[in-house]
Amino acid sequence: MSRPGILYPKMTVIGCGLIGGSIIRAAREHGVVGQVTVADASEAHRARVIELGIADHVTGDIGEAVKDADLVVIATPVLSTAEVAAALAPHLKPGATLTDVGSTKANVVEAFKALDLSKVFVIPGHPIAGTEQSGPDAGFAELFENRWTILTPAESDDEAYAAAVARLSTFWRAFGAQVELMDDKHHDLVLAVVSHLPHLIAYTIVGSAADLENVTESEVIKFSASGFRDFTRIAASDPTMWRDIFVANKDAVLEMLGRFTEDLQAMSRAIRWGDADTLHAHFTRTRAIRRGIVAAGQESAEPNFGRDRGKH
Ligand SMILES: NC(=O)C1=CN([C@@H]2O[C@H](COP(=O)(O)OP(=O)(O)OC[C@H]3O[C@@H](n4cnc5c(N)ncnc54)[C@H](O)[C@@H]3O)[C@@H](O)[C@H]2O)C=CC1
Ligand SMILES: O=C(O)C(=O)Cc1ccc(O)cc1
């Protein structure tokens, strides 16, 4: 990928955890930003960011952090976005771009709409890339390579806004990501299926298995096969982040959970009645889906390939 050069002379990241920290590392490595400022509510995280030496300026004061920035990235849990955006809005430089990385988009769009952000370019975003780790140490520059980033820009005929969306897309592409533009409500439905529901299932099954240890008098966790281990990895994801996602995306998650519950009932019926053909046909279809994903180059055929990078 060719290097676009400096896209934003000054970038401010609010919340320097896994995603904020990965953006900073990637932006520096690919030379797309000049100065980097971090604002984080956690004193311990601010101290760690200073130790890591990944930012030029670190502060707890959001207003001070954003005042000269050309790009402001909110990378905090999604229920805090409204409060963070309200704190920074009066201090933004006219012409700056304001984006975020939250896993839900409709609540973020609502939060931005409640504020006077008429002098800046507001472009919500979401990199579909992550791990179960969190905090400033968890970030790594390669996180976004060969992954998607979804942007949910406003509908607008303004050429300057279109140019700001193009610039932000170039920023993500510099990290090896592919960019897709989408409506925020559609984003939340899609992500409910491919991300939020799988996490809910993982959180539930790991809890159930632990409870069932008593019932089955077995050591479920000790003898867990690799499939179950994959669930435990996902169920180790950050509790605050996922609490916020399920509260923010309640409607879409409940809609998709209803559909999933129906499908689960159908599987349950097939098992109860010994309907081997239905089971075999279903598993054949899902195997083809996985093989399609691997063939499209979005996943390795190897188990867990690449997921553990940067975690140890
Ligand atoms: N972890 C993942 O795999 C992915 C997460 N996301 C989204 O990215 C955002 C950040 O997630 P992570 O980086 O994983 O979280 P994290 O927990 O690693 O980092 C969040 C950081 O924000 C700081 N923070 C929290 N509330 C704050 C506030 N009110 N003001 C200033 N700083 C505050 C925390 O101290 C922490 O340093 C979330 O909205 C999440 O939904 C998006 C894609 C993937
Ligand atoms: O760790 C995993 O398997 C993930 O699914 C990471 C992830 C978590 C949340 C997002 O909004 C996007 C990606």
Side-chain angles (χ1 to χ4, degrees):
M1 148 121 250
S2 68
R3 289 166 79 89
I6 290 194
L7 297 168
Y8 301 102
K10 291 186 178 175
M11 173 175 77
T12 293
V13 174
I14 318 285
C16 190
L18 169 71
I19 302 298
S22 295
I23 290 173
I24 293 171
R25 289 168 171 97
R28 284 184 170 284
E29 193 164 305
H30 296 283
V32 291
V33 296
Q35 276 183 39
V36 174
T37 295
V38 161
D40 200 296
S42 157
E43 201 177 331
H45 284 189
R46 291 199 299 271
R48 188 63 191 135
V49 173
I50 292 168
E51 272 170 21
L52 289 167
I54 55 176
D56 302 290
H57 182 53
V58 182
T59 174
D61 182 336
I62 289 180
E64 186 220 324
V66 304
K67 68 181 190 316
D68 300 323
D70 303 289
L71 174 67
V72 174
V73 183
I74 302 178
T76 60
V78 289
L79 289 187
S80 62
T81 307
E83 189 190 318
V84 168
L88 62 77
H91 305 279
L92 288 168
K93 184 169 88 172
T97 290
L98 172 65
T99 190
D100 79 305
V101 296
S103 302
T104 59
K105 292 276 62 82
N107 77 303
V108 167
V109 168
E110 281 299 304
F112 288 156
K113 275 189 186 154
L115 301 165
D116 178 11
L117 293 166
S118 53
K119 294 193 175 63
V120 299
F121 301 112
V122 180
I123 312 168
H126 177 202
I128 316 297
T131 73
E132 72 282 13
Q133 308 291 324
S134 49
D137 284 286
F140 55 106
E142 301 80 16
L143 178 64
F144 310 110
E145 281 174 14
N146 299 318
R147 302 284 166 190
W148 287 96
T149 291
I150 296 174
L151 301 180
T152 64
E155 277 187 34
S156 164
D157 297 331
D158 181 15
E159 277 180 29
Y161 185 71
V165 174
R167 184 171 287 258
L168 189 62
S169 302
T170 304
F171 175 80
W172 282 105
R173 287 195 195 102
F175 305 165
Q178 282 178 276
V179 175
E180 180 110 350
L181 307 186
M182 206 183 270
D183 166 77
D184 54 288
K185 292 194 177 61
H186 184 64
H187 166 280
D188 285 1
L189 267 182
V190 172
L191 268 290
V193 183
V194 300
S195 178
H196 307 168
L197 199 52
H199 275 78
L200 189 66
I201 292 164
Y203 277 123
T204 309
I205 201 165
V206 172
S208 300
D211 294 344
L212 286 169
E213 278 197 328
N214 299 329
V215 181
T216 58
E217 290 176 11
S218 71
E219 293 168 282
V220 175
I221 308 291
K222 181 171 167 191
F223 296 120
S224 60
S226 63
F228 184 74
R229 278 168 197 258
D230 287 350
F231 280 122
T232 64
R233 181 189 73 77
I234 293 172
S237 301
D238 190 73
T240 305
M241 169 184 155
W242 283 96
R243 174 201 65 189
D244 283 16
I245 290 171
F246 289 114
V247 172
N249 204 22
K250 170 181 159 181
D251 292 343
V253 170
L254 289 179
E255 164 74 20
M256 295 307 159
L257 192 56
R259 302 278 283 269
F260 173 75
T261 309
E262 282 177 27
D263 293 344
L264 201 58
Q265 285 296 338
M267 297 298 280
S268 171
R269 206 163 37 243
I271 293 167
R272 180 179 305 285
W273 297 106
D275 185 352
D277 289 348
T278 294
L279 293 173
H280 192 266
H282 187 86
F283 300 156
T284 303
R285 183 172 156 240
T286 56
R287 172 181 263 193
I289 292 167
R290 164 72 187 185
R291 289 185 173 169
I293 294 171
V294 173
Q298 286 182 26
E299 193 61 85
S300 163
E302 297 301 317
N304 204 29
F305 177 82
R307 296 232 181 231
D308 291 331
R309 281 160 81 188
K311 284 192 214 156
H312 306 293

